[in-house]
């Protein structure tokens, strides 16, 4: 079996490293010193460079100006973005456009995809439900508009929507009276849409999205079986890639620091207690990596397995949530006072790690989901 990445996937990762090379993780005020959001918008200049490098259209077909690559390539790029704490909706917009391409109607795809690939339209996804603990698809209801016949009306609340104030469209999962989930593409400025500010641990501005009888045309609602489940799995896997990239950078920072910091005339990296802790975190990262690529491969290939692809995604998120938490906690411990110094970037990585740990459910939620899958698909 060949576990190496394809030339196209490696080229995407190399292009990403070039784009992110000049990004400073401390380009905005520290979240520890900022009562509100660290910035009013995402990094538009970086977004433009990503568009110029064709990294916003990785998953789009050539007919829409894309590269026709897969989830593995996207995760390679996301991994690089997290190393510098890139403040762009790369995961959300890429995943949303991929869902439109896979499940949307011809009119919607023709109108939206090429623009999104060029960075001219920004999408995000409301994936956290009303409280952050309940299923996102149950937080909003969708009903057919009795007046138009083909239109839809949405009501409900979604919490912690990333980049809600900056995106042009929010993809909202909603439940119909027939107990089916649809994906609604809601314009941020649509009538009946309102936002309330929320803030993540990383200092980024989130939005509580309220929908009050929001009317949408039929073409703006994706009513295809499995569309939400596929989008949620891609978002979760992308979050695992972000956690991996962040963890790798943090372990690298820790290695650099402990190799220079001396006690009793020796670098503390040579002390057995320090070496053992670092080795444990290295093992965490390798487990995060192998489970990530398994999940991304299942999504990209559609290959069958003993469990549905959602099982591999759950395993990857369990490792990502717990692994990235352990990596940043060990890094803080081994850095001593420097770990909490607001002039040193490590505390920013810790804040982002906590956000990623909880995004789309902590480890416990995915352990429960995995248990349900194992009960429904007994192994052996």
């Amino acid at each position: 079996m060949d576990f190496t990445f394809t030339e196209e996937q490696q080229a995407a990762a190399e292009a990403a490293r070039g784009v992110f090379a000049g990004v400073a993780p401390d380009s905005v005020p520290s979240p520890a010193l900022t009562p509100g959001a660290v910035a009013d918008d995402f990094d538009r200049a970086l977004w433009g460079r990503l568009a110029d490098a064709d990294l916003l259209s990785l998953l789009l077909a050539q007919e829409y100006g894309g590269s026709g690559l897969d989830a593995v390539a996207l995760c390679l790029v996301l991994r690089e973005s997290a190393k510098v704490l890139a403040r762009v909706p790369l995961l959300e917009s890429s995943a949303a456009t991929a869902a439109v391409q896979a499940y949307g109607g011809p009119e919607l795809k023709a109108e939206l995809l090429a623009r999104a690939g060029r960075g001219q339209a920004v999408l995000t996804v409301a994936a956290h439900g009303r409280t952050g603990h309940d299923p996102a698809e149950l937080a909003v209801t969708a009903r057919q508009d009795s007046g138009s016949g083909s239109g839809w009306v949405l009501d409900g609340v979604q919490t912690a929507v990333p980049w809600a104030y900056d995106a042009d469209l929010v993809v909202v999962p909603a439940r119909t009276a027939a107990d089916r989930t649809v994906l609604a593409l809601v314009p941020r400025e649509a009538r009946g849409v309102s936002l309330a500010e929320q803030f993540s641990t990383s200092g980024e501005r989130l939005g509580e999205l309220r929908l009050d009888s929001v009317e949408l045309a039929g073409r703006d609602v994706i009513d295809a079986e499995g569309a939400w489940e596929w989008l949620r799995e891609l978002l979760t896997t992308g979050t695992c890639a972000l956690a991996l990239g962040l963890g790798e950078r943090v372990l690298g920072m820790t290695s650099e620091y402990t190799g220079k910091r001396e006690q009793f005339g020796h670098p503390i990296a040579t002390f057995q207690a320090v070496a053992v802790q670092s080795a444990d975190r290295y093992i965490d990262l390798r487990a995060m990596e192998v489970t990530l690529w398994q999940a991304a491969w299942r999504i990209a290939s559609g290959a069958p397995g003993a469990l549905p692809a959602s099982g591999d995604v759950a395993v990857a998120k369990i490792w990502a949530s717990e692994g990235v938490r352990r990596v940043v906690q060990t890094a803080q411990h081994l850095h001593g006072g420097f770990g909490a110094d607001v002039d040193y970037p490590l505390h920013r990585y810790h804040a982002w790690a906590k956000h990623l740990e909880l995004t789309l459910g902590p480890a416990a939620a995915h352990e429960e989901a995995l248990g349900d899958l194992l009960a429904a698909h007994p192994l052996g």
Side-chain angles (χ1 to χ4, degrees), residues 111-183:
E111 192 274 332
L112 179 62
L113 293 184
R115 292 175 54 237
R118 294 192 297 267
Q120 297 168 351
V122 179
L123 285 73
T124 189
V125 184
H128 290 99
R130 184 182 180 88
T131 66
H133 299 284
D134 53 330
E137 63 271 21
L138 302 182
V140 174
T141 61
R143 67 181 189 276
Q144 296 274 184
D145 187 348
S146 57
S148 67
S150 61
W152 292 80
V153 179
L154 273 65
D155 290 278
V157 178
Q158 291 275 0
T159 194
V161 180
W163 317 110
Y165 284 86
D166 311 309
D168 301 297
L169 293 167
V170 182
V171 178
V172 180
R175 205 69 165 177
T176 70
D179 202 30
R180 298 182 64 251
T181 300
V182 298
L183 291 178

Side-chain angles (χ1 to χ4, degrees), residues 18 39 125 193 216 258 290 350 356:
V125 184
V193 174
L216 295 178
T258 57
V290 71
H350 199 155
L356 293 174

Side-chain angles (χ1 to χ4, degrees), residues 5-20 50 53-55 58 67 69-70 72-78 80:
F5 299 114
T6 66
E7 290 184 7
E8 292 81 5
Q9 291 165 347
Q10 294 180 59
E14 183 64 29
R17 283 190 285 272
V19 172
F20 294 124
L50 289 168
D54 296 326
L55 293 175
L58 280 178
S67 304
L69 296 181
D70 57 15
V72 175
L74 175 61
C75 287
L76 284 167
V77 174
L78 291 169
E80 298 301 323

Side-chain angles (χ1 to χ4, degrees), residues 266-305:
H266 299 279
I268 63 174
T270 62
F271 298 167
Q272 186 179 38
V274 173
V276 166
Q277 291 182 72
S278 298
D280 285 342
R281 301 296 78 83
Y282 176 81
I283 292 171
D284 278 335
L285 289 173
R286 297 291 67 81
M288 290 166 64
E289 183 176 19
V290 71
T291 54
L292 163 65
W293 299 132
Q294 172 71 9
W297 173 75
R298 286 292 303 277
I299 293 174
S301 67

Side-chain angles (χ1 to χ4, degrees), residues 12-13 15-17 19-20 42-43 46-59 71 73-98 116-117 119 121-125 162-163 167 231 234-235 238-239 241-242 352:
R17 283 190 285 272
V19 172
F20 294 124
F42 62 82
D43 190 338
L46 176 58
W47 190 251
R49 296 198 296 274
L50 289 168
D52 293 340
D54 296 326
L55 293 175
L56 301 182
S57 57
L58 280 178
L59 304 186
L74 175 61
C75 287
L76 284 167
V77 174
L78 291 169
R79 180 187 192 178
E80 298 301 323
S81 75
K83 293 177 181 179
V84 295
L85 306 182
R87 301 183 52 261
V88 286
L90 178 59
L91 169 58
E92 294 82 6
S93 199
S94 297
T97 54
V122 179
L123 285 73
T124 189
V125 184
W163 317 110
L231 174 56
L234 181 56
L235 285 169
T239 302
L242 293 171
W352 276 66

